[in-house]
Amino acid sequence: METTKSYISHLRSYHIDKGYSTDVFNDERIKRILRGAARKYGNRPKRGRLEITSEILQAILATLRDTHDDINIYAAFCTAFAGFLQIGEFTWSTWNNQSVLQSLSRKSIQFVQDGVILQLPASKMDPFRKGISIPLSPSGDINCPVSALRTLVERYPKSTTAPLFSRLIGPFDRKWVLQKLRQSLLFAGINPVGFSGHSFRRGAANSAFKAGISREDIMKMGRWKSDSIDRYFSLTTANKLLFSLSTQLHTKPGPPNLAPDSQHAHSANTTNSRDRHAHASVRRKV
């Protein structure tokens, strides 16, 4: 069903580009057909998507060697995990004078006292290319993005307009990075099936929750602005969230907190009530 909806969306986009009428796409019969098909055939189960956790990242980093390409991929993997990056945010297919406006370059990183400030020039969460600053703190272990980036720039210094990550021959593109990821997983003794370009972002979200970071703070770290973050949580993480909410359900509520005005009104009403009872008592005695 998702594929069908995607086809319809692309067809509508084509009509808009060509200036054709899009009235037909607002026809309620299309929505009824899609709902009917979903009821009859159901939705195809989504393929398993695995996350690169901190432990898996350590395992694949240990397989890399001290070469130009591996030092670059090492830094890229560490940065992708720590920065909650999608694969399209740290790879590039072609490089020219305008590439610095949309891809990570050497001027995208700034070493500061607390770590590194990564300036993401463009992303899906930043369609108007205002730029997003992502602080990266040192981790003190093999996964440390600060140490990996410092090694990269010291070993291979380049101009500020050069790509942040590169390889000796060919572009630092999605296909090559995924190939290196699968290779590293195999060398680490991990089945690469189920891992993808989103595995770093997915793993960062689940590792953050495991570390005790709240869902709201994870959304800030990963730049999520909607409930789409829930698609990145593993079943274990999702269940822990629901268990937490279930626990709150069984928590006994405390006394209601009255606002200051409400407390004053409550006190005044109580005083007036006492006065009325006192006057009534006096009248009965008289």
Side-chain angles (χ1 to χ4, degrees), residues 167-241:
R167 48 191 285 223
L168 283 176
I169 301 175
F172 198 87
D173 59 3
R174 178 188 181 95
K175 180 180 179 180
W176 184 78
V177 170
L178 288 178
Q179 179 183 341
K180 290 291 292 184
L181 174 60
R182 287 191 290 267
Q183 184 185 72
S184 300
L185 287 166
L186 285 172
F187 287 163
I190 302 172
N191 187 345
V193 176
F195 291 93
S196 68
H198 279 71
S199 292
F200 292 101
R201 184 169 169 82
R202 187 181 303 278
N206 287 282
S207 295
F209 183 81
K210 186 178 179 181
I213 301 175
S214 69
R215 179 178 180 274
E216 291 72 22
D217 287 337
I218 295 174
M219 289 181 68
K220 294 177 183 177
M221 296 175 71
R223 308 173 301 284
W224 281 286
K225 297 180 180 180
S226 68
D227 291 337
S228 61
I229 183 179
D230 295 330
R231 299 202 308 266
Y232 287 79
F233 285 143
S234 65
L235 180 60
T236 300
T237 300
N239 284 338
K240 285 184 178 180
L241 281 167

Side-chain angles (χ1 to χ4, degrees), residues 3-270:
T3 302
T4 304
K5 291 179 181 178
S6 177
Y7 287 160
I8 294 175
S9 177
H10 282 80
L11 187 58
R12 184 178 185 278
S13 179
Y14 179 81
H15 276 233
I16 293 175
D17 292 341
K18 295 296 183 180
Y20 302 153
S21 172
T22 58
D23 292 342
V24 65
F25 298 101
N26 299 322
D27 194 322
E28 289 294 325
R29 288 174 294 183
I30 295 180
K31 298 178 183 178
R32 291 172 64 87
I33 290 172
L34 291 175
R35 286 197 298 268
R39 291 193 189 99
K40 182 173 178 61
Y41 301 105
N43 290 318
R44 184 176 63 180
K46 296 182 178 179
R47 59 188 177 91
R49 298 175 179 177
L50 301 180
E51 67 270 8
I52 294 177
T53 62
S54 178
E55 295 76 15
I56 293 178
L57 179 59
Q58 291 183 15
I60 63 178
L61 292 178
T63 69
L64 300 177
R65 298 172 295 172
D66 189 28
T67 64
H68 175 277
D69 288 0
D70 277 10
I71 288 177
N72 274 268
I73 204 71
Y74 189 115
F77 285 172
C78 291
T79 303
F81 178 82
F84 290 73
L85 300 183
Q86 302 181 41
I87 190 169
E89 293 174 336
F90 65 94
T91 59
W92 53 272
S93 299
T94 58
W95 195 268
N96 53 48
N97 294 334
Q98 300 299 315
S99 296
V100 294
L101 300 177
Q102 58 186 11
S103 301
L104 289 176
S105 63
R106 285 297 177 93
K107 72 174 184 179
S108 298
I109 58 172
Q110 177 186 3
F111 291 95
V112 295
Q113 183 177 358
D114 294 330
V116 171
I117 299 295
L118 179 71
Q119 188 70 21
L120 197 62
S123 69
K124 289 184 178 180
M125 285 73 72
D126 180 29
F128 300 107
R129 300 182 183 179
K130 295 180 179 179
I132 299 175
S133 294
I134 304 174
L136 303 177
S137 298
S139 63
D141 58 15
I142 190 176
N143 296 347
C144 181
V146 179
S147 176
L149 288 170
R150 190 177 296 279
T151 299
L152 174 65
V153 299
E154 289 179 353
R155 288 281 296 272
Y156 305 105
K158 295 184 178 181
S159 68
T160 57
T161 58
L164 178 58
F165 307 118
S166 61
R167 48 191 285 223
L168 283 176
I169 301 175
F172 198 87
D173 59 3
R174 178 188 181 95
K175 180 180 179 180
W176 184 78
V177 170
L178 288 178
Q179 179 183 341
K180 290 291 292 184
L181 174 60
R182 287 191 290 267
Q183 184 185 72
S184 300
L185 287 166
L186 285 172
F187 287 163
I190 302 172
N191 187 345
V193 176
F195 291 93
S196 68
H198 279 71
S199 292
F200 292 101
R201 184 169 169 82
R202 187 181 303 278
N206 287 282
S207 295
F209 183 81
K210 186 178 179 181
I213 301 175
S214 69
R215 179 178 180 274
E216 291 72 22
D217 287 337
I218 295 174
M219 289 181 68
K220 294 177 183 177
M221 296 175 71
R223 308 173 301 284
W224 281 286
K225 297 180 180 180
S226 68
D227 291 337
S228 61
I229 183 179
D230 295 330
R231 299 202 308 266
Y232 287 79
F233 285 143
S234 65
L235 180 60
T236 300
T237 300
N239 284 338
K240 285 184 178 180
L241 281 167
L242 292 176
F243 272 125
S244 176
L245 295 175
S246 180
T247 300
Q248 294 181 35
L249 173 66
H250 301 304
T251 301
K252 293 182 180 179
N257 294 324
L258 297 177
D261 291 344
S262 300
Q263 293 177 350
H264 177 74
H266 178 72
S267 177
N269 291 335
T270 302

